[in-house]
Amino acid sequence: MGVMKEHFKERNTRDYHQKRLFTKEELEERESLCVHEQSPFCSAACPMKLDVRDFVRRMAAKDFTGARAMLERISPFPEILAHGCSHPCEAACRMGEAGESIAIADLERVAMFLGAPKKGKGLLKFKKKKRAAVFGGELFTLVVAAQLADKSYPVEFYVEAGDAESLLKQCAPFLSEEILASAVRRLQSMDMKIFYGTDLSSAFVEEKRGAFDLLCAAGYLAKESPDADTLLGKDGILYPSEEGGECLRTFYDARRASVSADRLAQGLDPSTMRGEEGTVTSRLYTNMGQVEPSKRIPLRGEGEAYDGEKAAEEAVRCIQCVCEECLKGCTYLRHFAKHPRILTREIYNNTGIIMGDHMMNKAMNSCSLCGQCAVTCPNGYDMGEICRLARENMVDTGKMSLAVHEFALQDMLFSNTEGFLSCVPKGQEQGCRYVFFPGCQAGAVASEAVLRAYRDLAGRLDGGVALMLGCCGAIAKWAGRRELLNEQKDFLRQEFGKLGSPVILAACPTCRKTLEEEGLGQVKSLWETLLEIGLPEGSACHEEKVVLHDACGARNDQKMRQDVREIAGRLGFRLLPAEWEGEKTSCCGYGGLVAYANREMAAEMAEDCRKEFPDAPYITYCMACRDRLARQGAQSMHLLELLYECPAGTPPDISEKRRNRLLLRETILREFGGGDDMSPAGNGCASPEEMGFRAVITEEARRQMDDRMILDTDVWKVMGHYRDTGEAVLDQRTGLLIARLRIGNVTFWVKFTEDGAGYIIRGAYSHRMLVRTR
Amino acid sequence: MAETKSYYTIETDGTLLCQKCKVPLEKADAVFSYLENAFPVELPVCPKCGFVYVPEELALGKVLSVEKVLEDK
């Protein structure tokens, strides 16, 4: 396994190359799965593009002025639109499936009444040079004239009606006296010349048109239908798409005609560059599962309007359709407060940066790669896969810092060198039918349980059971180190081969998944095996209510999830129904090496796992979950501890984890071993006694070391160096000696005192920078 | 690079002693380097054996933050 050392060379920040993470098409395909930014159904149904969701939100917040301003922005005569519109938004409203749709029409009408009108005329606008003439009094021409005037074209508006009131009555006969009066005031305040009482005819239009650049006329003056998209007639005049059309259709026509007028004024083809017009089909997902059905707040009577209180009450019924399915269970996405589409784009861009700061490294490395989003997203958006591929890309292009994952990778190296064991019990040298693969964390956290499980399996399974202590390669896979993963695979394949390629009995869900996905042999879960041969004798009956925390490694393994429930049931446990269980389970923070790249995030993840039942005991079937939940203060037990009745107690620190694995290895060798390949552990983990000195570590120093990822073996190496060279600094203010040693890519410093009995370690710290004199 | 520039300086007051040479550490020129980047600094150094001392506050403060910046370059 000597080659592995080469993977631990620091990169050079000036020397890297480019490799695209995704092609443009693949990026777009992946991004398109996220529907968070799709329009809500109400807005999608509105050709005027009113942001109905936001309008209703403002109404619910009693921001009537803000709501009214939204209506004033989309049309020059909001009161006419509010009263005349057919409101297709109501038919599209998802609350229609849960009681009744939101009364958007009534809310719009009352917003115009309760909201304060827009103050002032806005910025001083200079008149445009192109002049516009609008002929004929109907709703379409009225709105076009008003829109062109608002765009600062000098407008002349020729109508048959004798005055503003009769013009508006003609255009919007459905308005009440009160609303009509307000529309009249609005028309009179507009900056255009209106020629009332004009005798309109085609001849009149022909006579006038020479003096204008932009022309628009009522439908009844059209000789034939205009172009369906631009509404421009063959005679160069803008007409409505149909004569006497429905109110909303007419407003939409007027908007399109104004866009065409702008294009014409600029001398452009009116059919190009029009942007997205009209209604759209939304792909938004709204989870209606937990929506309380409700009916509309009734109006006081026919033709009556809401008052402010009632309007807000009605608007509060709106569920503000938004798709946040992935965020609900994912601590990571909530923390970075980004939806997968945005996050994907930013991570994609991050991988492409040549010279400069990679601002999304932390985000990319903080995902647990647990696959929850792929299950909770209605379209199966797999953010974890994207983060993993991004890590691989950064490793391949020489941009990934070694510091982020080095400790975990070194731990993997340890698992498959000093901590590795492939043991064939005496008398089984001809080949075993099975090999028990407990996984690195089981040996580290609950080694006694592993030992007892192996004794049990070896005693009860026919055909012989070998044992392999090692890493399945998940660490390298999570770190995005493909070459290293391949080396691990080759190594394991070779080791399994030496055993005659037996069936692998995996205790850890992630080991099972990884060994299977990477094609390392026939893998079977330990739980399935135990159910087949029966649980070990004497497993106690626990009449206790507990939460079974599902492992993210078993997300796609329904069989395993069922098996562990069966075992938990046989052990007498009653399982509390948790919201995030089964295939939706949340990661404890071990997955994806989050605990190394972003400790705070990992702690938050574990904390979120126990949020629903903060006081309940947890049972797990993944040792990493057991460890992280316990570190977060939960009472947690792994099924192995329960089945073999050997609670492992408080979580070990990082040094104890290594020591536990070595001790387990030695114990198994003593009890079962015999062959030549069963050499004792290497000398990399020598104790002070083996190195010829005595030393103790204070409690406080231990906590500090665990927090700073410093192993006691690192400390012993520093002390050995001090013993040999005498190199240290004495800080006379504190009386502490401080020694140091460079080990690999890290310089370790140890603070200690010395007495007749040996060294007392009082603190340790480290840095990766090299320091020398100049 | 001009040798006079120094990114970081720690003054010494004679309280730090080189355990091996039994002499006080003195402020002297040193260089931090990481991922092919180098920063001239002034740190407590043993005038006899050249032992460079990096105090805990410096290692976990400035040094760590510069490491992180460089790691993301």
Side-chain angles (χ1 to χ4, degrees):
Chain A
M1 297 248 75
V3 266
M4 281 202 280
K5 297 278 185 201
E6 279 176 23
H7 296 287
F8 296 92
K9 236 169 67 186
E10 292 275 21
R11 74 192 182 100
N12 181 336
T13 51
R14 293 149 213 263
D15 176 26
Y16 43 66
H17 50 280
Q18 285 300 95
K19 183 181 151 195
R20 277 219 296 194
L21 176 57
F22 303 126
T23 61
K24 189 166 168 278
E25 293 73 28
E26 192 185 353
L27 177 66
E28 281 168 5
E29 196 184 319
R30 283 179 185 271
E31 285 179 340
S32 73
L33 292 178
C34 179
V35 295
H36 175 76
E37 285 162 83
Q38 290 277 308
S39 292
F41 303 96
C42 46
S43 307
C46 177
M48 301 303 291
K49 304 226 174 284
L50 174 67
D51 185 346
V52 185
R53 180 176 61 190
D54 195 46
F55 168 79
V56 178
R57 184 190 63 76
R58 286 173 190 269
M59 291 301 285
K62 295 187 184 167
D63 175 15
F64 303 124
T65 301
R68 175 177 166 146
M70 291 182 77
L71 299 178
E72 289 187 320
R73 267 198 296 278
I74 62 161
S75 91
F77 288 101
E79 51 281 274
I80 300 180
L81 185 56
H83 285 81
C85 180
S86 55
H87 288 97
C89 49
E90 288 190 357
C93 173
R94 296 298 304 270
M95 280 305 287
E97 300 155 41
E100 265 181 310
S101 63
I102 304 298
I104 301 163
D106 290 318
L107 292 177
E108 285 186 7
R109 287 164 200 161
V110 77
M112 289 309 299
F113 181 69
L114 294 171
K118 199 169 76 182
K119 284 194 202 114
K121 294 220 169 215
L123 291 168
L124 179 66
K125 290 182 193 163
F126 290 99
K127 282 283 177 206
K128 287 182 174 146
K129 292 216 169 62
K130 306 280 181 184
R131 291 157 46 93
V134 181
F135 303 98
E138 63 171 13
L139 187 56
F140 171 73
T141 47
L142 174 77
V143 180
V144 173
Q147 275 170 349
L148 294 180
D150 189 54
K151 288 170 187 273
S152 302
Y153 292 102
V155 176
E156 294 190 7
F157 186 19
Y158 297 91
V159 294
E160 294 97 336
D163 56 25
E165 193 177 327
S166 47
L167 171 63
L168 280 160
K169 265 189 185 159
Q170 200 182 321
C171 295
F174 45 79
L175 296 184
S176 68
E177 286 301 318
E178 193 189 347
I179 312 285
L180 183 73
S182 102
V184 167
R185 283 195 297 280
R186 192 182 287 275
L187 176 62
Q188 284 166 342
S189 72
M190 289 176 178
D191 186 13
M192 62 173 135
K193 279 188 199 152
I194 308 178
F195 297 86
Y196 294 107
T198 308
D199 186 11
L200 282 172
S201 63
S202 301
F204 179 80
V205 175
E206 281 309 311
E207 182 199 322
K208 282 278 175 193
R209 66 178 297 170
F212 297 95
D213 307 289
L214 305 169
L215 300 157
C216 173
Y220 56 82
L221 292 168
K223 294 188 193 76
E224 54 190 281
S225 296
D227 179 81
D229 296 323
T230 63
L231 302 182
L232 189 64
K234 289 209 175 75
D235 53 5
I237 301 176
L238 294 159
Y239 294 108
S241 63
E242 60 181 31
E243 204 185 320
E246 180 259 339
C247 175
L248 177 60
R249 170 72 179 262
T250 308
F251 269 89
Y252 176 48
D253 278 357
R255 171 177 289 188
R256 285 193 293 157
S258 305
V259 171
S260 297
D262 272 338
R263 293 283 174 284
L264 291 167
Q266 291 166 322
L268 301 170
D269 179 351
S271 65
T272 55
M273 319 232 314
R274 297 182 66 91
E276 190 189 74
E277 293 183 303
T279 57
V280 290
T281 307
S282 177
R283 294 189 295 118
L284 185 68
Y285 173 80
T286 304
N287 187 343
M288 298 298 288
Q290 282 158 3
V291 175
E292 279 291 316
S294 62
K295 294 275 186 193
R296 287 184 177 182
I297 305 296
L299 297 169
R300 275 170 299 174
E302 189 64 33
E304 292 284 336
Y306 286 127
D307 60 18
E309 288 300 322
K310 295 277 182 201
E313 221 177 297
E314 171 63 15
V316 163
R317 291 178 54 235
C318 171
I319 52 171
Q320 293 283 305
C321 287
V322 68
C323 181
E324 295 192 327
E325 297 307 299
C326 54
L327 267 75
K328 288 178 184 169
C330 178
T331 311
Y332 162 70
L333 288 172
R334 281 200 306 275
H335 178 92
F336 284 92
K338 287 192 167 106
H339 294 90
R341 200 192 73 78
I342 302 284
L343 200 55
T344 301
R345 181 56 66 114
E346 291 183 6
I347 287 175
Y348 172 82
N349 291 342
N350 191 65
T351 60
I353 294 169
I354 300 174
M355 287 299 233
D357 295 333
H358 294 88
M359 306 291 277
M360 295 304 281
N361 278 2
K362 190 151 193 177
M364 179 184 91
N365 287 325
S366 296
C367 170
S368 66
L369 315 181
C370 78
Q372 184 191 43
C373 49
V375 173
T376 53
C377 169
N379 296 319
Y381 206 113
D382 194 345
M383 199 63 226
E385 180 66 359
I386 290 167
C387 287
R388 194 182 64 77
L389 291 171
R391 292 180 199 180
E392 277 184 4
N393 178 281
M394 299 278 282
V395 170
D396 291 351
T397 54
K399 296 176 194 166
M400 178 72 108
S401 157
L402 184 58
V404 192
H405 295 138
E406 187 174 1
F407 188 92
L409 293 169
Q410 294 281 8
D411 204 55
M412 181 182 75
L413 182 70
F414 169 84
S415 292
N416 285 349
T417 51
E418 290 148 76
F420 182 81
L421 175 66
S422 176
C423 169
V424 180
K426 270 178 249 162
Q428 305 279 349
E429 289 81 3
Q430 302 316 310
C432 293
R433 189 187 287 175
Y434 302 99
V435 55
F436 178 38
F437 196 93
C440 62
Q441 292 303 300
V445 177
S447 50
E448 178 63 21
V450 173
L451 180 65
R452 292 192 194 183
Y454 182 50
R455 280 185 195 136
D456 181 37
L457 293 171
R460 292 200 291 146
L461 275 174
D462 289 335
V465 186
L467 176 103
M468 196 179 286
L469 301 177
C471 170
C472 64
I475 305 282
K477 195 170 182 177
W478 284 336
R481 309 253 162 195
R482 271 193 291 198
E483 281 180 34
L484 196 51
L485 173 64
N486 286 335
E487 278 172 26
Q488 297 303 299
K489 280 162 62 179
D490 290 345
F491 170 71
L492 289 176
R493 203 172 279 127
Q494 201 184 333
E495 291 295 329
F496 287 132
K498 284 187 207 163
L499 297 174
S501 303
V503 176
I504 305 164
L505 300 180
C508 165
T510 295
C511 291
R512 175 184 155 83
K513 182 171 174 250
T514 309
L515 294 171
E516 203 162 65
E517 279 177 1
E518 301 303 329
L520 290 169
Q522 190 193 339
V523 195
K524 191 172 174 182
S525 102
L526 172 69
W527 317 118
E528 186 182 347
T529 310
L530 282 177
L531 283 173
E532 281 167 8
I533 60 171
L535 301 190
E537 262 182 52
S539 307
C541 187
H542 308 257
E543 289 192 357
E544 210 179 345
K545 278 189 182 167
V546 296
V547 183
L548 176 74
H549 179 76
D550 278 300
C552 58
R555 189 179 308 287
N556 300 314
D557 193 341
Q558 200 189 2
K559 173 87 173 78
M560 186 187 288
R561 298 199 310 268
Q562 272 171 356
D563 287 345
V564 293
R565 277 169 175 73
E566 175 64 29
I567 293 174
R570 290 200 199 169
L571 289 173
F573 288 109
R574 276 167 296 152
L575 305 184
L576 291 162
E579 186 182 358
W580 300 101
E581 65 176 1
E583 61 170 3
K584 289 199 304 176
T585 191
S586 299
C587 176
C588 65
Y590 186 81
L593 308 178
V594 190
Y596 302 94
N598 188 340
R599 285 171 80 88
E600 298 77 24
M601 164 88 11
E604 220 180 300
M605 285 173 174
E607 193 56 43
D608 282 351
C609 283
R610 54 186 295 249
K611 208 165 49 184
E612 197 181 359
F613 298 102
D615 302 318
Y618 279 70
I619 58 174
T620 72
Y621 48 101
C622 166
M623 203 57 87
C625 298
R626 185 262 187 230
D627 186 50
R628 292 206 51 80
L629 287 168
R631 276 174 171 249
Q632 213 54 37
Q635 188 194 329
S636 73
M637 289 272 253
H638 188 277
L639 276 184
L640 278 181
E641 293 170 78
L642 294 160
L643 283 165
Y644 295 99
E645 296 181 323
C646 49
T650 50
D653 65 27
I654 51 171
S655 300
E656 285 166 325
K657 278 187 175 182
R658 286 207 177 177
R659 214 158 29 244
N660 289 345
R661 281 185 274 173
L662 289 176
L663 287 173
L664 174 65
R665 183 183 183 280
E666 278 169 31
T667 310
I668 286 176
L669 269 177
R670 267 202 309 275
E671 190 170 328
F672 298 92
D676 293 340
D677 55 337
M678 292 164 197
S679 54
N683 60 5
C685 280
S687 63
E689 288 70 26
E690 285 167 305
M691 292 172 75
F693 56 85
R694 286 199 292 177
V696 289
I697 301 175
T698 63
E699 269 306 303
E700 200 196 326
R702 274 215 178 276
R703 272 195 300 276
Q704 201 174 64
M705 285 162 57
D706 192 50
D707 198 46
R708 297 175 179 176
M709 305 293 237
I710 298 170
L711 295 165
D712 50 15
T713 47
D714 298 326
V715 168
W716 306 146
K717 283 177 193 160
V718 176
M719 297 317 296
H721 179 74
Y722 168 71
R723 193 239 354 241
D724 296 344
T725 64
E727 286 176 11
V729 167
L730 172 65
D731 187 337
Q732 292 175 303
R733 283 166 307 181
T734 59
L736 292 177
L737 283 158
I738 307 143
R740 57 98 183 84
L741 180 67
R742 183 80 178 175
I743 307 172
N745 296 314
V746 182
T747 301
F748 293 93
W749 294 81
V750 177
K751 291 183 169 182
F752 63 100
T753 51
E754 201 174 352
D755 61 19
Y759 307 126
I760 303 163
I761 311 302
R762 302 188 178 271
Y765 58 97
S766 68
H767 54 79
R768 298 182 72 88
M769 280 212 193
L770 269 170
V771 65
R772 59 175 172 80
T773 51
R774 66 178 149 123
Chain B
M1 191 187 291
E3 280 298 303
T4 48
K5 185 166 182 190
S6 189
Y7 285 84
Y8 191 87
T9 299
I10 293 184
E11 298 298 332
T12 49
D13 58 3
T15 55
L16 295 168
L17 222 57
C18 177
Q19 177 75 354
K20 190 174 164 188
C21 311
K22 307 290 180 200
V23 293
L25 301 192
E26 288 168 12
K27 184 173 90 173
D29 292 342
V31 184
F32 269 123
S33 60
Y34 189 45
L35 310 177
E36 312 287 321
N37 298 272
F39 308 92
V41 290
E42 290 173 299
L43 295 177
V45 176
C46 172
K48 276 179 81 178
C49 72
F51 186 106
V52 187
Y53 175 53
V54 180
E56 185 168 355
E57 309 76 62
L58 177 61
L60 302 181
K62 192 90 179 165
V63 167
L64 182 65
S65 62
V66 174
E67 280 175 7
K68 288 203 180 301
V69 168
L70 290 174
E71 282 160 11
D72 285 342
K73 282 282 174 206

